[in-house]
């Protein structure tokens, strides 16, 4: 939790974020991801001024349990002094003990954001889905919360001005915006109307622009002129048997074994699983993981 300190910006964790989206689709399946087509509604997790602290926190936790479809899980919420925003004890269940930073006694509007992350820890624990290392596992948790409809709360908890700042979670504001936008593009949502923080809205707009760029990379047909020209140059190079192999650092790579036709491999713009298609002009491909139909110009 950044509380008054500097807030990191940009996309330093983008590759881990994309790997987390792929892992979600692989572990949950397309059909299960589609069950989260509706995000958490602001009214369902709002903390009203008239709410008592403990019953209000329990109510919000219950709403998140319901959203994540954990009907047999009970969250016991308490508050104490601590460095991080919150923590959860990942036991066998059905009761899970969540501790929130004492700061939330007076910053109650952000209790839903803190609980969205901690309840997602429980969800992933029950799935048996994790990444090695604390940092990557926390990025997975933030990404899963955002992609499954509750992470916009974490982004909305981001506020920054010349004299103070607050940010929850391990992702940067722009990375939260990116994942929330990826979800919005899949489910046709407009989460921008839910943000109460102007800084969160700005981060979402930036993340949305980055998310849209994923769908405009060659060999996708929607790629821009510069991308298509670069792709054509790389394709000619790959087709030249005398040329050295191209470094596989870009968004696509070419492969051929001498007998089969040249193929190009690139990440699906929705789930980031790599797709291989033959190099033969206009091709329609369907991602086997997220079922996105892609128009390609190979």
């Amino acid at each position: 939790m950044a509380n008054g300190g500097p807030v990191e910006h940009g996309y330093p964790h983008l590759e881990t974020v994309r790997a987390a989206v792929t892992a979600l689709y692989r572990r949950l399946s397309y059909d299960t991801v589609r069950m989260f087509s509706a995000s958490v509604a602001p009214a369902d997790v709002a903390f009203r001024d008239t709410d008592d602290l403990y019953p209000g926190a329990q109510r919000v936790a219950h709403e998140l349990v319901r959203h994540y479809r954990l009907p047999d899980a009970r969250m016991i919420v308490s508050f104490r002094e601590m460095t991080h925003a919150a923590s959860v004890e990942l036991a066998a269940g059905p009761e899970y003990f969540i501790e929130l930073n004492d700061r939330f006694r007076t910053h109650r509007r952000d209790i839903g954001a803190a609980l969205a992350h901690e309840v997602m820890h429980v969800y992933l624990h029950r799935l048996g889905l994790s990444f090695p290392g604390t940092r990557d596992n926390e990025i997975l948790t933030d990404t899963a919360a955002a992609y499954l409809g509750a992470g916009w709360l974490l982004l909305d908890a981001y506020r920054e001005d010349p004299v103070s700042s607050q940010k929850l979670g391990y992702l940067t504001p722009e990375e939260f915006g990116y994942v929330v936008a990826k979800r919005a593009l899949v489910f046709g949502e407009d989460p921008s109307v839910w943000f109460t923080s102007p800084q969160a809205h700005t981060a979402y707009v930036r993340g949305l622009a980055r998310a849209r760029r994923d769908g405009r990379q060659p060999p996708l047909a929607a790629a821009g002129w510069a991308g298509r020209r670069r792709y054509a140059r790389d394709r000619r190079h790959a087709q030249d048997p005398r040329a050295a192999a191209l470094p596989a650092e870009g968004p696509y790579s070419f492969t051929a074994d001498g007998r089969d036709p040249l193929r190009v491999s690139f990440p699906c713009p929705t789930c980031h699983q790599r797709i291989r298609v033959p190099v033969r002009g206009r091709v329609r491909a369907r991602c086997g993981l997220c079922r996105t139909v892609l128009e390609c110009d190979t």
Side-chain angles (χ1 to χ4, degrees):
M1 177 174 63
N3 179 13
V7 174
E8 186 178 23
H9 288 276
Y11 302 91
H13 315 112
L14 190 57
E15 291 310 308
T16 307
V17 166
R18 288 170 171 167
V21 173
T22 306
L24 273 180
Y25 273 98
R26 285 178 177 163
R27 181 63 183 86
L28 292 180
S29 80
Y30 166 83
D31 291 326
T32 302
V33 171
R34 297 300 300 188
M35 291 172 61
F36 292 88
S37 59
S39 288
V40 172
D44 291 339
V45 291
F47 210 108
R48 296 176 286 271
D49 293 338
T50 56
D51 286 347
D52 291 331
L53 180 62
Y54 287 95
Q58 293 294 152
R59 175 185 58 81
V60 174
H62 175 74
E63 287 296 332
L64 289 163
V65 166
R66 182 192 60 79
H67 175 76
Y68 290 143
R69 291 168 173 78
L70 293 167
D72 59 338
R74 298 190 296 273
M75 306 296 155
I76 311 301
V77 183
S78 62
F79 297 80
R80 71 173 177 89
E81 291 186 9
M82 57 197 304
T83 302
H84 297 291
S87 65
V88 60
E89 180 181 322
L90 294 175
E95 290 187 340
Y96 298 87
F97 295 88
I98 297 176
E99 293 181 317
L100 299 182
N101 192 300
D102 264 340
R103 171 184 174 85
F104 293 112
R105 291 180 182 271
T106 54
H107 292 73
R108 299 184 181 186
R109 61 184 284 191
D110 299 321
I111 284 177
L115 290 174
H117 180 94
E118 300 308 319
V119 179
M120 177 51 70
H121 267 304
V122 174
Y123 183 79
L124 295 176
H125 174 70
R126 288 191 164 195
L127 280 178
L129 177 59
S130 63
F131 278 0
T134 299
R135 169 189 168 275
D136 286 1
N137 202 52
E138 294 290 352
I139 291 171
L140 168 65
T141 304
D142 278 341
T143 302
Y147 204 83
L148 298 183
W152 68 266
L153 290 162
L154 285 152
L155 177 54
D156 197 39
Y158 162 57
R159 290 180 286 279
E160 189 172 16
D161 59 45
V163 297
S164 65
S165 64
Q166 174 185 280
K167 186 188 77 70
L168 302 183
Y170 283 69
L171 301 185
T172 68
E174 291 78 15
E175 288 169 339
F176 268 123
Y178 172 82
V179 183
V180 173
K182 296 285 283 188
R183 171 192 165 78
L185 293 173
V186 169
F187 292 111
E189 286 185 331
D190 180 14
S192 64
V193 298
W194 302 330
F195 295 121
T196 61
S197 163
Q199 295 80 24
H201 185 275
T202 299
Y204 170 72
V205 171
R206 291 172 178 167
L208 177 60
R210 187 64 178 250
R212 284 175 170 158
R213 278 172 53 186
D214 290 348
R216 296 196 293 264
Q217 294 292 330
L220 297 173
W225 177 82
R228 291 198 304 271
R229 182 171 181 175
R230 182 179 66 251
Y231 176 85
R233 180 200 63 200
D234 292 343
R235 181 181 59 201
R236 287 194 301 270
H237 185 95
Q239 290 171 329
D240 185 350
R242 298 166 298 177
L246 289 169
E249 298 177 355
Y252 52 82
S253 60
F254 295 96
T255 57
D257 62 9
R259 292 171 298 176
D260 294 332
L262 187 69
R263 290 177 175 269
V264 61
S265 170
F266 61 96
C268 170
T270 299
C271 70
H272 303 288
Q273 175 175 260
R274 292 196 74 83
I275 298 171
R276 292 178 72 237
V277 297
V279 175
R280 63 183 185 200
R282 288 276 179 172
V283 174
R284 175 174 290 179
R286 185 172 185 263
C287 177
L289 189 59
C290 69
R291 304 185 187 178
T292 301
V293 177
L294 304 170
E295 298 290 341
C296 308
D297 188 355
T298 62

